[in-house]
């Protein structure tokens, strides 16, 4: 009997030891991600204060699931990679391409993995479009707006800025009135306030709504997910900032980012965009001017056929620019069906012209064609991604921390990471 009791105690100790080891492992893994998110937040806000602590390890399962989902999204040929809550379309396409070219998820470091977490949340989800938040959350969004405006009001009162004090009071009164309208009608009368019911993944309160199941598990869960949601855009932009720093400083060391000053205002890139198009296998999507103008077509049977294929009202056959040759100063037109079956970084062309906007279309087209030829041949002022820098700007109705790209002499309007199979749909939707 003694032996059996001893065996049971030994078995319990062994089982408990396994649980303890698993718990320690999870805490260590969570601490790694939480530390990076704290660094990201501090970098973008120039703060010295952490927002997460050791008790926020409960985010781990969500983080790990999000990383796996983000990897699937990045590799999914049916999803066009356009990420919300940011202004860095070229920068984001660089990150998406850099990570998308990796063969396995385990080739990414923790900072890169956290970028995938935000991809999983911020890339447009068609399933969310028809959904609306509940009345409870709509009222919370109004309360949140009032709270932020009251904070602004206090600052204006300190400065005795009567003009802005009047504006703030008017805004608060209007929001209070709309809130009363919703409460009295039980959410039926949405006149003038219907927008608060729309889901916006960049909005902190909507983020809480989407994570309501987790937040209702208990007080600590509520506190942790509230911190994550109410700072989600700052954390995300901080993660982008850290990844750009690591790529352009050619470092994968986490020690380096831990030593970064939160007061660093810019990351100098000085990227020659013409060179990048050549080296990174980037495609250029023409705008409607180029597709329709005879100047951009040679007098050949193939080019005449290309233009004809775009003029009908049925299924149009689009082409893109590909294979920039730096030495000859040329670029090929490629039918989309002739491209390799893979993801591409694609840039939508927007060539500037010197004439005023009221000038005849033919004049503007000629100037655009000449400027495009200069770009191909490497003459004149050439496009360059000079830097990514921190700023504070008004997003929606509030001032938020943000990142901006400084692109000089740009000939593009927008950049995306997209699979060949979605190009026809994208061009038809955005250009035609």
């Amino acid at each position: 009997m003694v032996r059996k009791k001893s065996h049971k105690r030994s078995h319990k100790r062994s089982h408990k030891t396994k649980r303890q080891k698993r718990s320690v492992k999870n805490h260590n893994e969570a601490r790694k991600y939480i530390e990076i998110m704290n660094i990201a937040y501090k970098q973008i806000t120039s703060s010295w204060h952490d927002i997460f602590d050791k008790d926020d390890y409960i985010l781990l399962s969500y983080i790990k699931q999000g990383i796996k989902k983000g990897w699937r999204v990045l590799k999914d040929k049916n999803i066009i990679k356009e990420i919300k809550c940011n202004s860095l379309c070229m920068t984001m396409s660089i990150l998406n391409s850099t990570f998308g070219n990796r063969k396995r998820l385990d080739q990414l470091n923790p900072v890169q993995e956290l970028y995938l977490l935000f991809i999983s949340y911020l890339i447009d989800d068609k399933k969310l479009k028809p959904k609306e938040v509940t009345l409870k959350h709509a009222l919370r969004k109004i309360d949140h707006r009032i709270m932020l405006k009251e904070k602004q009001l206090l600052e204006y009162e300190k400065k005795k800025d009567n003009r802005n004090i009047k504006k703030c009071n008017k805004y608060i009164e209007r929001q209070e009135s709309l809130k009363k309208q919703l409460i009295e009608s039980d959410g039926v009368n949405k006149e003038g306030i219907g927008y608060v019911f729309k889901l916006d993944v960049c909005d902190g309160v909507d983020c809480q709504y989407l994570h309501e199941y987790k937040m209702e598990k208990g007080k600590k869960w509520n506190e942790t997910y509230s911190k994550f949601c109410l700072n989600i855009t700052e954390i995300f932009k901080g993660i982008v900032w850290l990844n750009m720093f690591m790529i352009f400083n050619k470092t994968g060391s986490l020690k380096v980012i831990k030593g970064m000053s939160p007061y660093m205002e810019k990351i100098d890139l000085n990227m020659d965009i013409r060179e990048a198009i050549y080296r990174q296998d980037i495609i250029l999507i023409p705008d409607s001017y180029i597709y329709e103008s005879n100047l951009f077509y040679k007098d050949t049977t193939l080019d005449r056929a290309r233009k004809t294929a775009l003029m009908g009202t049925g299924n149009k056959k689009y082409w893109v620019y590909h294979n920039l040759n730096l030495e000859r100063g040329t670029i090929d037109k490629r039918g989309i069906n002739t491209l390799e079956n893979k993801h591409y970084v694609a840039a939508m062309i927007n060539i500037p012209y010197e004439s005023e906007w009221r000038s005849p279309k033919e004049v503007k087209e000629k100037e655009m064609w000449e400027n495009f030829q200069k770009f191909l041949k490497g003459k004149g002022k050439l496009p360059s991604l000079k830097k990514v820098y921190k700023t504070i700007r008004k997003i929606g109705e509030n001032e938020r921390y943000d990142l901006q790209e400084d692109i000089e002499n740009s000939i593009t309007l927008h950049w995306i990471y997209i699979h060949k199979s979605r190009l026809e749909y994208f061009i038809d939707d955005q250009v035609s």
Side-chain angles (χ1 to χ4, degrees):
M1 293 296 291
V2 174
R3 288 177 183 173
K4 286 185 178 179
K5 286 182 180 179
S6 177
H7 177 72
K8 285 182 179 179
R9 283 198 298 269
S10 176
H11 179 72
K12 285 181 180 179
R13 280 199 302 270
S14 175
H15 187 63
K16 187 177 180 181
T17 301
K18 286 180 181 178
R19 279 207 313 269
Q20 287 174 334
K21 285 181 178 178
R22 188 163 57 247
S23 177
V24 170
K25 181 183 176 184
N26 287 341
H27 275 68
N28 289 338
E29 194 171 8
R31 186 168 63 242
K32 170 183 66 180
Y33 292 123
I34 284 170
E35 183 180 16
I36 293 169
M37 287 198 292
N38 278 330
I39 293 170
Y41 175 81
K42 288 187 286 190
Q43 281 293 319
I44 207 67
T45 61
S46 298
S47 167
W48 288 101
H49 302 291
D50 292 339
I51 54 171
F52 297 111
D53 56 45
K54 60 181 177 61
D55 293 327
D56 294 314
Y57 71 91
I58 55 179
L59 281 171
L60 181 62
S61 62
Y62 174 72
I63 291 171
K64 292 174 75 172
Q65 289 169 11
I67 290 169
K68 289 177 182 176
K69 182 185 174 186
W71 179 252
R72 290 195 299 271
V73 167
L74 196 60
K75 294 290 186 178
D76 192 329
K77 67 180 183 180
N78 295 311
I79 298 176
I80 298 170
K81 269 56 90 173
E82 289 190 284
I83 303 173
K84 295 178 178 291
C85 314
N86 80 95
S87 313
L88 306 175
C89 63
M90 184 177 180
T91 302
M92 303 303 284
S93 69
I94 291 169
L95 291 180
N96 290 334
S97 175
T98 300
F99 305 151
N101 286 333
R102 303 289 170 84
K103 300 296 183 185
R104 303 187 317 275
L105 175 57
D106 61 13
Q107 292 177 311
L108 302 182
N109 67 43
V111 183
Q112 296 165 340
E113 288 177 337
L114 283 172
Y115 177 76
L116 296 182
L117 165 66
F118 289 99
I119 280 184
S120 74
Y121 177 72
L122 296 174
I123 282 185
D124 195 19
D125 187 343
K126 290 182 173 59
K127 293 177 184 176
L128 293 180
K129 279 189 176 179
K131 291 186 179 180
E132 288 189 338
V133 300
T134 60
L135 173 60
K136 181 181 79 172
H137 275 82
L139 294 173
R140 283 189 62 198
K141 286 169 81 171
I142 296 174
D143 286 338
H144 189 63
R145 291 177 179 190
I146 292 171
M147 180 195 73
L148 292 173
K149 194 59 70 173
E150 285 175 340
K151 285 183 179 179
Q152 287 183 9
L153 178 60
L154 288 173
E155 293 301 314
Y156 291 136
E157 285 175 342
K158 289 177 185 176
K159 299 174 184 176
K160 297 183 179 179
D161 185 343
N162 292 327
R163 183 169 173 270
N164 280 312
I165 289 172
K166 187 177 179 181
K167 279 186 176 181
C168 284
N169 282 324
K170 188 176 179 181
Y171 177 89
I172 292 168
E173 287 171 14
R174 174 65 176 159
Q175 293 296 307
E176 292 284 9
S177 173
L178 291 170
K179 179 182 174 182
K180 183 180 178 184
Q181 170 188 308
L182 286 177
I183 292 171
E184 290 178 348
S185 68
D186 199 24
V188 175
N189 185 0
K190 299 177 182 178
E191 185 178 350
I193 196 66
Y195 56 87
V196 297
F197 287 88
K198 293 180 180 178
L199 269 173
D200 176 9
V201 293
C202 306
D203 183 276
V205 179
D206 282 358
C207 173
Q208 290 175 315
Y209 170 74
L210 291 169
H211 295 91
E212 191 172 27
Y213 168 73
K214 297 277 190 183
M215 296 179 69
E216 288 178 346
K217 286 187 173 184
K219 182 181 177 183
K220 183 55 194 170
W221 289 79
N222 187 292
E223 290 173 353
T224 295
Y225 276 86
S226 290
K227 287 191 284 188
F228 177 76
C229 282
L230 295 176
N231 298 286
I232 191 165
T233 58
E234 284 79 11
I235 300 168
F236 165 57
K237 289 167 186 175
I239 292 295
V240 171
W241 180 260
L242 295 179
N243 273 296
M244 290 300 290
F245 180 86
M246 294 174 82
I247 288 173
F248 283 89
N249 285 277
K250 295 183 171 66
T251 178
S253 171
L254 298 182
K255 288 183 180 179
V256 173
I257 65 165
K258 290 176 184 178
M260 288 170 62
S261 167
Y263 299 124
M264 185 173 71
E265 292 296 317
K266 61 178 179 147
I267 299 174
D268 290 315
L269 306 177
N270 295 314
M271 179 193 292
D272 182 331
I273 293 177
R274 186 168 170 269
E275 184 86 15
I277 291 170
Y278 166 70
R279 293 192 180 282
Q280 302 300 322
D281 199 29
I282 293 169
I283 59 175
L284 299 177
I285 300 173
D287 60 10
S288 57
Y289 272 108
I290 295 174
Y291 276 135
E292 295 170 8
S293 173
N294 287 327
L295 288 173
F296 289 86
Y297 295 88
K298 295 177 182 178
D299 188 17
T300 64
T301 303
L302 181 57
D303 255 17
R304 284 194 295 270
R306 284 193 177 109
K307 191 168 188 295
T308 302
L310 288 169
M311 294 301 104
T313 55
N315 291 330
K316 297 181 179 181
K317 298 295 182 183
Y318 293 102
W319 54 268
V320 294
Y321 284 117
H322 190 226
N323 294 332
L324 174 63
N325 188 307
L326 297 181
E327 291 182 4
R328 295 201 302 264
T330 60
I331 195 167
D332 297 335
K333 292 189 186 79
R334 295 281 301 276
I336 290 172
N337 64 318
T338 68
L339 294 171
E340 286 185 59
N341 190 39
K342 66 175 188 176
H343 277 87
Y344 288 90
V345 171
M348 298 176 68
I349 298 177
N350 184 38
I351 304 169
Y353 51 84
E354 289 73 31
S355 300
E356 60 177 24
W357 66 272
R358 289 176 293 186
S359 300
K361 186 178 179 181
E362 295 77 16
V363 173
K364 291 186 284 187
E365 283 178 3
K366 188 171 187 298
E367 291 175 355
M368 289 166 63
W369 182 83
E370 290 172 349
N371 288 335
F372 189 52
Q373 299 309 306
K374 287 179 183 176
F375 163 75
L376 294 178
K377 292 176 169 48
K379 295 180 179 179
K381 295 179 179 179
L382 298 173
S384 172
L385 176 57
K386 302 300 290 184
K387 63 185 177 185
V388 174
Y389 61 95
K390 298 178 188 176
T391 185
I392 297 176
R393 70 186 184 99
K394 193 169 184 180
I395 301 174
E397 296 174 354
N398 305 299
E399 289 190 338
R400 302 292 296 266
Y401 294 100
D402 198 24
L403 294 177
Q404 294 282 305
E405 295 170 328
D406 179 11
I407 302 178
E408 290 186 355
N409 311 311
S410 178
I411 66 158
T412 56
L413 180 66
H414 185 50
W415 294 67
I416 57 169
Y417 186 58
I418 186 170
H419 193 270
K420 167 199 166 179
S421 61
R422 298 294 285 162
L423 273 169
E424 290 273 6
Y425 165 81
F426 180 80
I427 297 172
D428 198 55
D429 182 61
Q430 297 291 322
V431 177
S432 64

